Amino acid sequence: YACPTCGISYPKIEPRVFSFNSPYGACPACNGLGTKQEFDIDLIIPDRERSIIEGAILPWKKGPRGYLMYYRSLLREFSRVMDFDLDVPFKKLPKRVQKEIIYGSDIYVWGKPFEGVIPHLGRLFRETKSDYLKQEITRFMSKSSCPECKGSRLKKESLFVLIEKKNIFDVTIMSIEQAHIFLSGLQLKGNEKIIAGNILKEILEKLKFCIDVGIGYLGLNRKSQTLSGGEAQRIKLATQIGSGLSSVIYVLDEPSIGLHKRDNDKLIESLNRLKNLGNTLIVVEHDETTILASDWIIDLGPKAGEGGGYVLYNGKFDSFIKESSSATAKYLRKELQIDVPAKRRPQSDKALIVKGAKEHNLKNIDVKFPLGVFICVSGVSGSGKSTLVEDILYRSLAHKLYSSKEKAGLCSQIKGVELIDKAIMVDQSPIGRTPRSNPATYVGVFTAIRDLFSRLPDSKIRGYKPGRFSFNVKGGRCETCQGDGLKKIEMHFLPTVYVPCEVCSGKRFNEATLEVKYKGFSISDVLDMSVTDALNLFDSIPKIKRSLLSLYDVGLGYIRLGQSATTLSGGEAQRIKLAAELCKKSTGKTIYILDEPTTGLHFDDVKKLLDVLQRLVDKGNTLVVIEHNLDVIKSCDYIIDLGPEGGDKGGKVVFSGPIEDIVKKDKSYTGQYLKELF
């Protein structure tokens, strides 16, 4: 493998040459990562409308007093030498001045060349031994493609091996569907067919399985950490279908998450294929289509939490649909249902307008978000919904309103930001990462409960203040477990084990604190109560009742006030955040953004959730929801439908306007499914 003319020679071509995880194939410049972390000017100076005096340079805006005073004085001296005004918006400064402030200058200030922001941050990063400081500095860095391999992650020698004029990187940047079309079209002859025939057949089968479970829009080189839970689960499902195993029990937890109704039909076909191979499928699911396609039903209830845990039905589907005690059966036979709203909110002239959105697969689109209404963003999986709403809209608003350092997706501009005062993302991330975090502290009701306990006669006699009833403060808590109620036991090679504290038996407080009681209940008893029980106990105290009602209204009457945040599901965490928002005074100028809030919710829970969402909008706020659930979609005032397909075939606005009008749009899959409901 050598050229006598130019002298280039190649090692033997083998599989590891095409792997970026192997030193034989990885790009030496980035070690096969495909990216390099570099300082990002947009993160260092996020708002160029601000002047230097107003804090345009973010790294020199906050820090120790002496550090800030030094750099402010340095900039004043530099402005005097270079003759520019520190009060002028950064973008209006001369280009040369902007460049030298960022990258440094040969101009001497205080006896040495002016260092510049990026060289200064780079020097700090190299010299500091503080992990905290390094972490703070990396917030001003972003990943960019490796200049050597241009993001391919491979050596240039690996990229010179071609099939049909395409190297391995050209193939892996294709979507699964595109790769299937390309590889299906390969014309193999003679020895090529003998060598590659079986390999090609296996590759095509695996790609087809992925298309069948509705993830054909994903790029082959998509990083696993960027996949949603539903996408990761469907990749595993495609692997199992391809394995051809039989007599296996497969357990799936809500495989329909993140799937449009059209894609859901493909998923059910794939599940039936697994079943027909001789396997058993146990599926935990709330999706109506999936339930209707099943053979056997196990229905639990009748309520959640302590009100549940009973088997209401266990048998064939045909008999289940007639079951009178099951709320699920009642919704399936339409005895109970979520009604279409009697009237919609009128569309306001005030709006947020995203211009020229072109992040990922978005096709340079302009999108209008009218304010003061319930907006739903729909479309098939991979059509660009999360990119538009989360990466572009929310992050851009967070930049403007909160000076966020998270980089926003590409768009030319967003109009109308001055019309709102808050942008809140209500996602399914945990409300806390330690056992100390709980629903009562998150919604703020625990503060009011502690105040109540401190005003009781026993507390006044003993001089107890509200802090006495906090498990985060010394004095009232159990000092053996420091208020955790649990002792952490490290198991070295096994997962960490938590056991109840042997002194307080998990009550978190010392004996003296537990002697103070309200209507016979100690502070520990209150934390151990469900929201419903606590509502009955504090019915006569408006401040506490109001917060507890917000939790009850979002369908969380069954959770315990002191329940550890680590034991809450994503859907529960999201509804606790909604409850916290309901407790706050509304300005009527807030935009709330939710990504698939119905994940993990039963029909009855969806109904309660919709009531809460409508209440938020009734206060004059704007609600933007990314959703596939038709009951949520039919309840909105305004819809933005992206598509028409996923991946490269998506990223366009298929329809934008009042919800009733989408059914007239033949190209909209969402509109086709809504026709049946309207």
Side-chain angles (χ1 to χ4, degrees):
Y1 302 111
C3 173
T5 310
C6 64
I8 290 176
S9 64
Y10 277 80
K12 184 182 177 184
I13 297 171
E14 49 190 342
R16 63 184 181 179
V17 170
F18 304 102
S19 170
F20 46 75
N21 289 320
S22 163
Y24 291 90
C27 165
C30 63
N31 294 320
L33 293 173
T35 57
K36 282 199 163 185
Q37 210 167 24
E38 294 177 339
F39 287 104
D40 190 326
I41 299 168
D42 291 333
L43 295 177
I44 291 169
I45 307 173
D47 187 358
R48 300 192 185 199
E49 296 286 345
R50 289 187 179 188
S51 67
I52 291 173
I53 288 290
E54 291 171 328
I57 303 170
L58 226 52
W60 290 353
K61 185 183 174 186
K62 289 181 182 177
R65 181 178 169 81
Y67 168 86
L68 292 179
M69 293 296 290
Y70 173 80
Y71 280 100
R72 281 173 190 163
S73 302
L74 183 68
L75 281 167
R76 276 197 205 97
E77 184 63 19
F78 187 61
S79 71
R80 189 188 63 77
V81 174
M82 294 292 289
D83 192 25
F84 68 88
D85 193 346
L86 293 172
D87 285 313
V88 172
F90 190 85
K91 71 174 188 178
K92 291 186 178 177
L93 292 173
K95 294 291 179 190
R96 184 193 165 196
V97 170
Q98 289 185 32
K99 187 177 178 182
E100 293 191 345
I101 288 172
I102 294 166
Y103 297 107
S105 169
D106 292 334
I107 304 294
Y108 273 65
V109 180
W110 294 344
K112 58 182 179 181
F114 180 76
E115 189 174 29
V117 186
I118 288 178
H120 163 246
L121 291 174
R123 178 174 57 79
L124 265 185
F125 189 82
R126 289 189 302 273
E127 292 175 1
T128 185
K129 292 180 181 177
S130 164
D131 290 337
Y132 171 77
L133 186 56
K134 282 192 173 183
Q135 194 175 353
E136 283 296 300
I137 294 170
T138 54
R139 291 170 68 182
F140 300 106
M141 302 168 90
S142 64
K143 288 178 180 176
S144 56
S145 286
C146 167
E148 184 77 24
C149 66
K150 306 292 188 290
S152 71
R153 307 169 81 171
L154 294 165
K155 288 179 179 176
K156 59 182 180 181
E157 291 88 348
S158 306
L159 299 174
F160 287 146
V161 181
L162 310 178
I163 296 175
E164 292 287 328
K165 297 182 180 177
K166 291 188 185 295
N167 61 38
I168 191 165
F169 181 63
D170 295 331
V171 176
T172 55
I173 58 172
M174 293 179 180
S175 69
I176 291 170
E177 284 177 344
Q178 290 170 335
H180 189 269
I181 292 166
F182 168 71
L183 294 168
S184 300
L186 288 181
Q187 300 296 317
L188 302 178
K189 297 171 186 174
N191 283 341
E192 292 176 346
K193 206 166 190 176
I194 296 167
I195 295 164
N198 288 336
I199 297 171
L200 200 57
K201 183 186 174 188
E202 190 176 341
I203 293 170
L204 289 170
E205 279 181 1
K206 287 181 185 294
L207 294 174
K208 183 69 169 64
F209 295 142
C210 290
I211 294 166
D212 289 345
V213 295
I215 50 171
Y217 61 90
L218 290 177
L220 285 172
N221 67 339
R222 178 85 172 259
K223 291 182 181 177
S224 57
Q225 65 263 36
T226 66
L227 297 169
S228 69
E231 286 168 339
Q233 191 175 40
R234 278 174 275 146
I235 289 171
K236 291 176 186 173
L237 185 62
T239 307
Q240 293 305 320
I241 296 170
S243 68
L245 295 172
S246 62
S247 302
V248 175
I249 291 179
Y250 290 106
V251 180
L252 294 93
D253 190 0
E254 298 198 65
S256 69
I257 289 172
L259 278 187
H260 191 273
K261 285 292 175 189
R262 185 204 66 170
D263 302 315
N264 205 25
D265 295 339
K266 292 180 184 175
L267 174 70
I268 291 167
E269 282 175 29
S270 300
L271 293 177
N272 279 323
R273 280 176 65 185
L274 260 183
K275 181 188 79 173
N276 294 335
L277 286 170
N279 300 304
T280 302
L281 279 80
I282 300 171
V283 182
V284 180
E285 190 55 270
H286 296 103
D287 176 69
E288 183 178 355
T289 316
T290 312
I291 296 171
L292 292 171
S294 62
D295 306 308
W296 191 275
I297 296 283
I298 300 169
D299 192 44
L300 301 177
K303 294 181 180 178
E306 288 187 357
Y310 297 97
V311 177
L312 302 181
Y313 180 84
N314 185 3
K316 291 184 179 178
F317 177 82
D318 299 342
S319 304
F320 171 68
I321 201 74
K322 302 165 193 169
E323 182 65 36
S324 59
S325 63
S326 168
T328 309
K330 287 176 183 176
Y331 274 98
L332 290 176
R333 61 177 180 259
K334 306 304 176 190
E335 187 179 314
L336 292 175
Q337 60 182 346
I338 297 168
D339 297 321
V340 175
K343 61 177 183 178
R344 311 282 183 185
R345 296 175 187 86
Q347 190 180 323
S348 167
D349 292 334
K350 295 177 180 178
L352 286 170
I353 301 171
V354 177
K355 305 278 286 182
K358 51 194 172 192
E359 182 76 3
H360 298 320
N361 67 331
L362 295 178
K363 307 292 191 294
N364 200 21
I365 55 176
D366 297 342
V367 187
K368 179 182 177 185
F369 293 86
L371 298 177
V373 295
F374 183 169
I375 303 167
C376 190
V377 181
S378 64
V380 298
S381 306
S383 56
K385 302 182 295 297
S386 296
T387 301
L388 172 66
V389 176
E390 294 183 24
D391 296 354
I392 296 177
L393 179 65
Y394 175 70
R395 288 187 183 179
S396 298
L397 293 176
H399 263 300
K400 294 281 185 184
L401 299 172
Y402 313 125
S403 300
S404 166
K405 293 175 185 174
E406 260 194 303
K407 197 169 184 178
L410 287 174
C411 73
S412 53
Q413 70 173 132
I414 294 184
K415 292 183 176 179
V417 179
E418 70 282 355
L419 300 171
I420 62 167
D421 60 5
K422 280 192 288 185
I424 295 169
M425 172 72 77
V426 188
D427 58 16
Q428 295 201 356
S429 61
I431 59 169
R433 301 194 179 273
T434 67
R436 289 180 182 275
S437 305
N438 59 55
T441 53
Y442 193 87
V443 299
V445 72
F446 195 42
T447 303
I449 291 170
R450 293 202 319 270
D451 286 342
L452 172 67
F453 268 82
S454 70
R455 292 200 301 270
L456 294 174
D458 280 354
S459 292
K460 288 186 174 179
I461 291 167
R462 302 175 186 209
Y464 290 170
K465 302 295 181 191
R468 178 82 193 192
F469 301 96
S470 168
F471 47 74
N472 290 320
V473 178
K474 284 183 178 181
R477 71 184 184 185
C478 168
E479 288 304 325
T480 305
C481 62
Q482 296 188 322
D484 279 338
L486 300 167
K487 294 294 289 290
K488 183 178 175 182
I489 300 174
E490 297 284 354
M491 299 295 284
H492 301 294
F493 300 110
L494 296 170
T496 301
V497 172
Y498 290 93
V499 296
C501 170
E502 68 275 10
V503 175
C504 67
S505 302
K507 293 184 184 291
R508 297 182 165 203
F509 297 91
N510 58 36
E511 284 186 23
T513 307
L514 295 173
E515 285 171 4
V516 180
K517 296 187 177 181
Y518 174 75
K519 292 185 180 180
F521 295 97
S522 70
I523 189 73
S524 179
D525 296 331
V526 170
L527 284 173
D528 206 35
M529 279 182 177
S530 69
V531 170
T532 306
D533 291 340
L535 259 174
N536 294 327
L537 180 67
F538 299 111
D539 186 55
S540 58
I541 302 165
K543 191 175 181 182
I544 298 175
K545 185 181 177 181
R546 198 182 313 119
S547 297
L548 292 175
L549 265 176
S550 68
L551 284 167
Y552 184 81
D553 288 345
V554 296
L556 294 175
Y558 62 91
I559 65 168
R560 298 184 183 280
L561 292 182
Q563 189 170 332
S564 168
T566 55
T567 66
L568 297 166
S569 69
E572 286 168 337
Q574 188 172 41
R575 280 179 286 160
I576 289 169
K577 291 175 187 177
L578 274 174
E581 291 304 322
L582 284 172
C583 295
K584 295 175 184 174
K585 284 186 179 178
S586 173
T587 60
K589 287 179 150 187
T590 304
I591 182 167
Y592 294 99
I593 295 170
L594 291 87
D595 190 352
E596 297 200 61
T598 60
T599 299
L601 296 191
H602 185 269
F603 305 106
D604 213 41
D605 297 320
V606 172
K607 192 173 186 177
K608 289 174 185 172
L609 177 70
L610 278 169
D611 289 340
V612 171
L613 296 181
Q614 297 287 13
R615 275 166 56 190
L616 282 174
V617 187
D618 287 339
K619 291 179 179 178
N621 301 304
T622 305
L623 182 67
V624 180
V625 178
I626 302 169
E627 193 52 87
H628 295 293
N629 186 298
L630 293 177
D631 285 323
V632 175
I633 296 173
K634 75 182 184 186
S635 302
C636 73
D637 306 308
Y638 188 91
I639 189 164
I640 299 162
D641 194 47
L642 299 182
E645 300 291 337
D648 287 341
K649 294 178 184 175
K652 296 176 185 174
V653 178
V654 177
F655 177 83
S656 177
I659 183 70
E660 278 89 355
D661 296 345
I662 194 173
V663 295
K664 302 168 191 171
K665 192 78 177 178
D666 294 332
K667 289 183 180 177
S668 169
Y669 291 111
T670 308
Q672 291 170 24
Y673 282 96
L674 283 172
K675 264 183 191 176
E676 301 166 22
L677 296 179
F678 288 160

